[in-house]
Amino acid sequence: MTEAAATPGRNMTDEIAQQPAVFADLLAGRDVIGEVAAHIAKRRPRFALLAARGSSDHAALYAKYLIEVLLGLPAGLASPSTTTLYGAQPDLTDVLLVSVSQSGGSPDLLEVTESGRKGGALTVAVTNTADSPLNAAAELSVDIRAGRERAVAATKTYSATLLALYLLIDAVRGGTGANAQPIPDLAASTLEAGQGAVDDAVRRYRFAERMVTTGRGYSLATAAEAALKLAETSYLSARPFSGADLLHGPVAAVDAETAVLALCSNGRGGDAMREVLDVVHDRGADVCAIGSAASDVRASHRIPVPDCAEELAPVLEVLPVQRLALGLALARGFDPDNPRGLRKVTRTR
């Protein structure tokens, strides 16, 4: 047995730490992403669909916001089961279909991509495996360049997917990726400076039985990813909600026994979270605010994140989320590298 295999969480710990270098490498290869973007811009799609599963589905949700806000195109999340279970073959003429899969080996996404291409879509695969079946099926492909990920829980592949999607969509609109240039250094700062606040949060929430994760705008994707990470590594009952949706019914279940993980980065999404956190704080919930605007909201505990362009905040704010999931898993006596009953590749059809 290797040292990494014998030490609980060793792989996840190492892969979280690798992210600043992964981001730097991805930025160094942005010209290749720019070539894919040029093909997309030339085709002038009228609509965008995003197909994904698991953590990649949260990355797709992030891309949905980017496409609608930065490109001004309507975008939606595809339902793979309409193809794989019901055999639907919609007319996708002039539609951009982006399939997001870290492994590139998901059979249902492969089927969706093949069907979409036959239906007239411009298909783009975003993966961490350049020779994957999904890349072969799509007309265009983007390699997120994260390197092999050994831990079952996605960390560096998730954040690299976010950055790759940003660089792709920014390039489609004619951008140069300038806002992303500081991201490697900001990521290193996030990991170095924020560890103490994360450790405090681990001690605070070690015995939590249920948690709500919430965010608005671009950060909604991080809220969804946070709930998944906590559930798959710590077996914690965690539910994600948009801040807006949380106030329309689910807030009735929030009380002093509820821990609330709130993503609050500077920008319109973070501003919209203020009212939400006022309400849940008044209901007695223990609120942990994560983000560049964490100091500006009502919270019981705060994990600050460096400021950046709002559309890039999810790349940074997910880093302490990953550290928190890792720390809680270890504190509860679990090995996040080997979560019960989980595997790396989603085989759902």
mmCIF file of all heavy atoms in Angstrom, residues 116 118 130 163 189 224-225 300:
data_model
loop_
_atom_site.group_PDB
_atom_site.id
_atom_site.type_symbol
_atom_site.label_atom_id
_atom_site.label_comp_id
_atom_site.label_asym_id
_atom_site.label_seq_id
_atom_site.Cartn_x
_atom_site.Cartn_y
_atom_site.Cartn_z
ATOM 1 N N GLY A 116 -27.118 15.030 -30.956
ATOM 2 C CA GLY A 116 -27.147 16.461 -31.221
ATOM 3 C C GLY A 116 -26.441 16.822 -32.513
ATOM 4 O O GLY A 116 -26.912 17.674 -33.273
ATOM 5 N N LYS A 118 -26.111 14.885 -35.123
ATOM 6 C CA LYS A 118 -26.988 14.454 -36.215
ATOM 7 C C LYS A 118 -28.157 15.417 -36.396
ATOM 8 O O LYS A 118 -28.665 15.593 -37.506
ATOM 9 C CB LYS A 118 -27.524 13.052 -35.923
ATOM 10 C CG LYS A 118 -26.474 11.953 -36.011
ATOM 11 C CD LYS A 118 -27.079 10.610 -35.626
ATOM 12 C CE LYS A 118 -26.017 9.511 -35.633
ATOM 13 N NZ LYS A 118 -26.587 8.206 -35.160
ATOM 14 N N ALA A 130 -8.168 14.041 -23.458
ATOM 15 C CA ALA A 130 -8.116 14.445 -24.860
ATOM 16 C C ALA A 130 -8.500 13.331 -25.828
ATOM 17 O O ALA A 130 -9.030 13.593 -26.910
ATOM 18 C CB ALA A 130 -6.719 14.968 -25.195
ATOM 19 N N LEU A 163 -12.805 27.444 -15.301
ATOM 20 C CA LEU A 163 -11.925 28.414 -15.948
ATOM 21 C C LEU A 163 -11.890 28.205 -17.458
ATOM 22 O O LEU A 163 -11.904 29.180 -18.229
ATOM 23 C CB LEU A 163 -10.519 28.320 -15.361
ATOM 24 C CG LEU A 163 -9.495 29.326 -15.905
ATOM 25 C CD1 LEU A 163 -9.990 30.761 -15.748
ATOM 26 C CD2 LEU A 163 -8.148 29.159 -15.197
ATOM 27 N N SER A 189 -3.310 32.556 -3.065
ATOM 28 C CA SER A 189 -3.594 33.376 -1.892
ATOM 29 C C SER A 189 -4.808 32.847 -1.132
ATOM 30 O O SER A 189 -4.816 32.805 0.106
ATOM 31 C CB SER A 189 -3.830 34.821 -2.316
ATOM 32 O OG SER A 189 -4.215 35.626 -1.216
ATOM 33 N N ALA A 224 -24.389 24.622 -5.460
ATOM 34 C CA ALA A 224 -24.738 23.258 -5.862
ATOM 35 C C ALA A 224 -23.553 22.313 -5.697
ATOM 36 O O ALA A 224 -23.695 21.183 -5.197
ATOM 37 C CB ALA A 224 -25.217 23.254 -7.315
ATOM 38 N N GLU A 225 -22.369 22.771 -6.079
ATOM 39 C CA GLU A 225 -21.174 21.945 -5.945
ATOM 40 C C GLU A 225 -20.833 21.709 -4.475
ATOM 41 O O GLU A 225 -20.402 20.613 -4.091
ATOM 42 C CB GLU A 225 -19.994 22.611 -6.665
ATOM 43 C CG GLU A 225 -18.668 21.886 -6.551
ATOM 44 C CD GLU A 225 -18.628 20.518 -7.197
ATOM 45 O OE1 GLU A 225 -19.608 20.156 -7.903
ATOM 46 O OE2 GLU A 225 -17.621 19.801 -7.018
ATOM 47 N N SER A 300 -22.447 34.021 11.108
ATOM 48 C CA SER A 300 -21.825 33.572 12.354
ATOM 49 C C SER A 300 -20.347 33.279 12.166
ATOM 50 O O SER A 300 -19.560 33.342 13.115
ATOM 51 C CB SER A 300 -22.541 32.301 12.848
ATOM 52 O OG SER A 300 -23.936 32.487 12.931
#
